[in-house]
Amino acid sequence: MAHPTGRTPRVVVIGAGIVGCSLADELTARGWTDVTVLEQGPLPAPGGSTSHAPGLVFQTSPSKALTEFAAYTVGKFAALEADGLPCFHRVGGLEVATTGERWADLHRKAGLAASWGVRGELLTPARCAELWPLLDADQVLGGFHTPDDGLARAVPAARAQLARAARRGARFLDRHTVTAVEQRGGRVTGVVTDRGAFPADVVVSAAGFWGPIIGAMAGVTVPLLPLAHQYAKTAPLPELAGRGGPRAEASRPILRFQDRDLYFREHTDRIGIGSYAHRPLPVDPFTLPPYDEAPVMPSSLPFTEEDFAPSWRDAVGLLPALGASRVEEGFNGVFSFTPDGMPVLGESRELRGFWLAEAVWVTHSAGAAKAVAEWLTEGRAGTAVHECDPHRFEDAQLSPAYLAERGARSFVEVYDVIHPLQPLEQPRPLRVSPFHLRQRELGAYFLEAGGWERPHWYEANAPLAESVELPPRDAWSARYWSPIAAAEARATRERVALYDMTPLRRFEVSGPGALDFLQRMTTNQLAKKPGSVTYTLMLDEAGGVRSDLTVARLAPDRFQVGANSALDLDWLLRHAPDHGVHIADITSGTCCVGVWGPLARALVQPLTRDDFSHEAFGYFRARRTFIGHVPVTALRLSYVGELGWELYTTADLGLRLWDTLWEAGREHGVIAAGRSAFDSLRLEKGYRAWGRDMTTEHNPYEAGLGFAVRPGKGDFVGRAALEGLGEESAGRRLACLTVDDPAAVVLGKEPVSVDGSVAGYVTSAAYGYTVGRTVAYAWLPAAAAVPGTAVQIEYFGEKVPATVAAEPLYDPRMERIRR
């Protein structure tokens, strides 16, 4: 993206740590050479987290994006040298398990590695001891070895990239403390330091744990919490003597002992030990001393021996040779933690041109920098970065109290075994729907997402589950699950159920330019009469799926948009014209009940004077009406594959709406049903979930959503990128799989093999209570995504046979919805 004048933009990067130097290198490599990097400390080791980072790079993560960032970092740093020494030691990584739960988790991690293309192998205790002879193999149940992981030499890697970027024209200025971020008309215009001002079209904060300080200058919240993390080095060990000079700093794999929140790496003849086992030690970045006043450097705080004492005992227990040694030196190093453990990457909407590249560890540094550089120069990152976008957080998740509490928890959970459904424990409850009181009375089991309490099943329905026959579940898949979900799914298919859909994002788009704006932002034809509802997509300029929406035209110039997250609001606001369109987030002021099931009409019709027959109120139609005393917007939609409506009203009338529906539904056997049943029903019906099943990395035809694209309606964002594409040209597809064994389950992100080789990965999965087996969706090569193809899904090391199926599995002729 060139500047309107034709020149490349003037970029100022704040911070010359590993992220700032990587970003300067990536930008200049793409032709943006007017780059100034400002650093308050001395170069090349300015005293931030980079200066003391132990350099561990483990690529495998539950996040595909983080794994891709780490893989790029490994490849890039492995090709860099500083002073004739490599910037990356490919010594490998070894995670050992001393508990059954951890050993099972390593099998799951091996599956993640296979899904994301990382080489890895599960090892016996004896083989672990061969790789780490100091290890007490009797304590170990097994290990996971990743030979391409290793140690990044962060300061030399930063220096090598600094030199390369400087040769292309970038300049690096140390001893420049930023004192202000200048702006005019909602755009950044420059940076002021104690040694002068620097005009800029783009400012990127890569200040690490000082990010909140820079953000405050710009009026932008930077959602991170600095915390101290303990790192110690032993005295020289005889067992490591003679293993090489300084050019052989390490030869054994990085060792992670996650059952005790510890990791180990060699420092020639000593061992470095990092611990996450201690109490959270938050740090206020506003109180840290400048470089010249710090005893060592700003990021290196005094070692608190009392916090490390239990970790030392655990370290000696795993590596008995340490018993004859001691901690010779140590420090508490400051790192950045966010509420969800993910980086913060992207442009502020409040201050255009002000970008964040924060909470990025050395592990992901070059990959994250590449993503930001692509985003800046090309308008999008090659990797789907929605998990890292600063606008992913709700307003309620940006309070100082929330950031402090959740940031500290992120530190505690670094090495925890985290279930994919595991909710945040605190602060809860934070956001509740108007139905919360009734849900609690019904014994709702709540999980949390986006700050919302979301019922997954209701204990009041337990008697209905007594007659349900289900195969037994393993301990992992049985967590955050109940057989009650099967009973709720059955009741939805056979009678009628109420679903709380309040947490789904809702916007109102209004004004004389509303239709033209939404036509430009989405793929489907919205120029329909008021009362119409349309399923449509939002794409980026490259044709990647940014979101899927339901758009109800309530009046000629007023639309209600059902969206996925705060990122959708951010995207619309960024593209909205200055006049003629008003966009309002109405989520918190409204609520929604999904009334679904074959008896939905029998329940709702007596409560309204309007005709809710199929002929008078067809599928994908909307109308304003009353349910009892409650004014509602009724949308004839169903995400579970049954007859029904979404009923919206204001939050103050929500409880009355629920009670009205509940009382009227008693004679029809109405129940309240939760998200667990919902996910099962939607997968049986083949409905996609954005962020899980498709992202910006996929186009609509690959995702099986070509029906929502109408190129003939006129121009829209991403239309040009779709020219020449279609279902038949897709090289990969989102395929429906059914697991052959009715008793087997998978949960998502598992690798899928075709003819013995990993060919894709599962996106969403749930047991299909109607079809009587697990249903999974997975990305596969188009040649394999053909009904009848036999595949295998790896679940905790077991090969689970499955078959590609024609979709949808349930009611393919849409007879149950349209009646």
Side-chain angles (χ1 to χ4, degrees):
M1 298 192 322
H3 192 269
T5 64
R7 60 175 172 79
T8 59
R10 298 166 298 180
V11 180
V12 171
V13 179
I14 302 173
I18 190 63
V19 177
C21 290
S22 295
L23 180 58
D25 185 46
E26 296 289 336
L27 285 172
T28 55
R30 288 166 173 77
W32 280 26
T33 56
D34 192 350
V35 176
T36 301
V37 182
L38 302 174
E39 174 54 58
Q40 64 182 346
L43 291 173
S49 299
T50 301
S51 301
H52 70 248
L56 280 67
V57 178
F58 279 86
Q59 298 172 80
T60 307
S61 166
S63 165
K64 181 173 179 284
L66 288 189
T67 302
E68 291 180 0
F69 289 170
Y72 182 81
T73 301
V74 166
K76 184 175 186 180
F77 288 3
L80 292 176
E81 286 190 354
D83 300 326
L85 296 175
C87 293
F88 186 80
H89 294 304
R90 204 182 293 265
V91 295
L94 176 63
E95 302 175 56
V96 295
T98 60
T99 65
E101 183 184 29
R102 182 69 61 181
W103 183 225
D105 189 58
L106 291 186
H107 283 76
R108 182 176 71 101
K109 187 166 287 185
L112 287 170
S115 290
W116 311 147
V118 177
R119 288 200 304 155
E121 181 184 9
L122 292 165
L123 303 181
T124 64
R127 178 60 181 144
C128 292
E130 288 178 16
L131 292 175
W132 255 87
L134 303 186
L135 190 67
D136 181 358
D138 291 338
Q139 292 197 40
V140 175
L141 300 178
F144 178 51
H145 181 228
T146 45
D148 297 322
D149 291 337
L151 294 167
R153 299 173 62 234
V155 172
R159 185 153 47 91
Q161 293 178 97
L162 181 158
R164 191 158 63 184
R167 288 194 295 270
R168 301 189 190 112
R171 56 177 177 166
F172 292 78
L173 304 175
D174 63 0
R175 301 292 189 175
H176 280 65
T177 299
V178 174
T179 58
V181 175
E182 295 186 313
Q183 51 186 286
R184 183 173 59 251
R187 285 204 63 87
V188 72
T189 59
V191 172
V192 179
T193 75
D194 58 351
R195 297 177 63 179
F198 298 84
D201 304 303
V202 173
V203 172
V204 184
S205 178
F209 57 76
W210 285 289
I213 298 177
I214 303 301
M217 295 178 190
V220 174
T221 299
V222 179
L224 67 82
L225 177 72
L227 287 127
H229 158 60
Q230 291 199 297
Y231 192 78
K233 290 182 181 178
T234 67
L237 294 168
E239 293 84 353
L240 300 182
R243 292 182 58 82
R247 299 182 69 88
E249 179 184 354
S251 58
R252 294 186 175 120
I254 312 160
L255 177 65
R256 290 208 283 192
F257 181 23
Q258 292 164 303
D259 288 321
R260 290 295 184 270
D261 296 306
L262 294 172
Y263 64 82
F264 307 86
R265 58 151 294 183
E266 292 176 305
H267 291 277
T268 310
D269 61 351
R270 301 193 292 170
I271 291 179
I273 308 169
S275 172
Y276 292 102
H278 56 83
R279 61 193 168 94
L281 299 168
V283 176
D284 183 352
F286 290 88
T287 64
L288 288 173
Y291 187 93
D292 293 324
E293 296 177 18
V296 181
M297 54 185 169
S299 65
S300 181
L301 304 181
F303 189 63
T304 49
E305 294 183 9
E306 65 278 9
D307 288 311
F308 194 74
S311 292
W312 177 251
R313 290 193 293 270
D314 290 333
V316 172
L318 185 70
L319 307 175
L322 296 183
S325 186
R326 59 186 173 82
V327 173
E328 190 169 79
E329 60 180 281
F331 65 95
N332 291 2
V334 183
F335 288 90
S336 299
F337 291 81
T338 59
D340 58 5
M342 296 294 290
V344 181
L345 309 176
E347 183 188 22
S348 165
R349 189 178 66 251
E350 295 79 10
L351 181 58
R352 299 297 180 91
F354 182 78
W355 288 68
L356 298 173
E358 299 290 11
V360 180
W361 291 8
V362 172
T363 301
H364 312 110
S365 55
K370 172 177 174 284
V372 173
E374 291 171 336
W375 208 340
L376 277 164
T377 60
E378 303 169 27
R380 73 190 295 266
T383 297
V385 290
H386 57 281
E387 296 174 299
C388 308
D389 195 299
H391 299 90
R392 69 187 184 270
F393 296 109
E394 305 287 342
D395 288 344
Q397 296 173 303
L398 294 176
S399 69
Y402 187 93
L403 295 178
E405 191 165 0
R406 286 306 312 159
R409 189 64 198 171
S410 291
F411 175 91
V412 172
E413 293 177 346
V414 165
Y415 280 171
D416 285 1
V417 176
I418 303 294
H419 192 278
L421 293 177
Q422 185 170 327
L424 305 177
E425 295 300 330
Q426 296 295 333
R428 292 181 63 192
L430 183 61
R431 309 176 76 188
V432 299
S433 82
F435 322 130
H436 187 69
L437 176 62
R438 296 293 182 262
Q439 292 166 344
R440 291 179 60 190
E441 291 171 352
L442 292 169
Y445 185 89
F446 293 100
L447 298 180
E448 185 269 354
W452 287 99
E453 295 294 318
R454 292 159 51 132
H456 274 241
W457 65 83
Y458 294 84
E459 289 296 330
N461 297 324
L464 301 177
E466 294 174 359
S467 61
V468 175
E469 293 186 8
L470 294 172
R473 287 205 169 205
D474 64 277
W476 185 253
S477 65
R479 291 180 67 182
Y480 307 108
W481 173 85
S482 169
I484 295 172
E488 293 176 358
R490 174 188 288 181
T492 306
R493 293 278 189 240
E494 296 177 354
R495 300 192 305 277
V496 61
L498 305 184
Y499 286 82
D500 181 3
M501 306 302 288
T502 301
L504 295 185
R505 210 29 113 134
R506 292 175 293 287
F507 314 136
E508 183 176 271
V509 181
S510 59
L515 175 60
D516 289 344
F517 171 65
L518 288 173
Q519 285 280 73
R520 180 167 60 86
M521 297 305 299
T522 68
T523 61
N524 213 335
Q525 177 60 264
L526 304 183
K528 303 173 183 177
K529 294 179 180 179
S532 65
V533 182
T534 305
Y535 177 81
T536 187
L537 308 174
M538 288 198 300
L539 309 181
D540 62 19
E541 293 287 357
V545 181
R546 279 198 61 97
S547 190
D548 62 340
L549 312 173
T550 53
V551 180
R553 191 174 192 183
L554 304 180
D557 60 354
R558 185 164 62 88
F559 297 79
Q560 179 174 304
V561 178
N564 286 294
S565 73
L567 296 180
D568 298 333
L569 177 64
D570 176 61
W571 183 252
L572 291 174
L573 289 173
R574 287 179 186 275
H575 289 81
D578 294 333
H579 304 287
V581 177
H582 178 69
I583 303 171
D585 185 344
I586 61 173
T587 310
S588 61
T590 57
C591 58
C592 177
V593 182
V595 185
W596 292 317
L599 300 182
R601 183 177 288 115
L603 189 163
V604 174
Q605 183 62 81
L607 300 175
T608 178
R609 296 184 179 182
D610 287 317
D611 187 352
F612 269 53
S613 69
H614 181 66
E615 295 73 21
F617 195 161
Y619 191 53
F620 267 82
R621 299 293 297 170
R623 69 169 47 161
R624 290 281 294 167
T625 186
F626 288 86
I627 298 296
H629 295 89
V630 181
V632 302
T633 299
L635 273 56
R636 178 90 184 273
L637 300 177
S638 173
Y639 284 99
V640 299
E642 299 293 340
L643 170 70
W645 289 265
E646 292 180 356
L647 302 177
Y648 296 87
T649 191
T650 53
D652 59 319
L653 291 167
L655 192 58
R656 183 60 179 262
L657 175 62
W658 180 279
D659 288 346
T660 300
L661 294 167
W662 187 261
E663 187 60 34
R666 286 180 181 274
E667 64 178 289
H668 304 293
V670 71
I671 67 161
R675 295 290 300 187
S676 187
F678 177 91
D679 279 336
S680 170
L681 297 170
R682 76 148 179 105
L683 286 173
E684 290 181 329
K685 192 59 182 170
Y687 293 146
R688 276 72 165 140
W690 185 83
R692 280 195 281 173
D693 298 321
M694 69 280 190
T695 69
T696 54
E697 295 180 1
H698 313 107
N699 71 49
Y701 305 113
E702 295 171 328
L705 299 174
F707 66 88
V709 180
R710 294 288 185 271
K713 75 166 185 172
D715 195 27
F716 54 82
V717 175
R719 181 177 180 270
L722 298 184
E723 289 185 8
L725 301 181
E727 303 278 358
E728 66 287 344
S729 65
R732 58 182 174 176
R733 293 183 185 275
L734 185 63
C736 176
L737 312 179
T738 55
V739 174
D740 295 352
D741 181 356
V745 298
V746 298
L747 297 181
K749 300 188 178 181
E750 297 91 353
V752 180
S753 296
V754 179
D755 295 331
S757 299
V758 174
Y761 59 91
V762 173
T763 58
S764 295
Y767 197 86
Y769 301 111
T770 313
V771 301
R773 63 191 62 243
T774 293
V775 181
Y777 273 76
W779 282 102
L780 292 174
V786 177
T789 302
V791 301
Q792 289 184 319
I793 305 172
E794 184 177 323
Y795 180 73
F796 285 89
E798 298 292 326
K799 302 291 186 181
V800 179
T803 304
V804 177
E807 59 171 332
L809 298 172
Y810 181 76
D811 189 27
R813 299 180 64 180
M814 302 286 284
E815 294 173 338
R816 295 181 67 87
I817 289 179
R818 293 173 171 159
R819 62 180 182 177

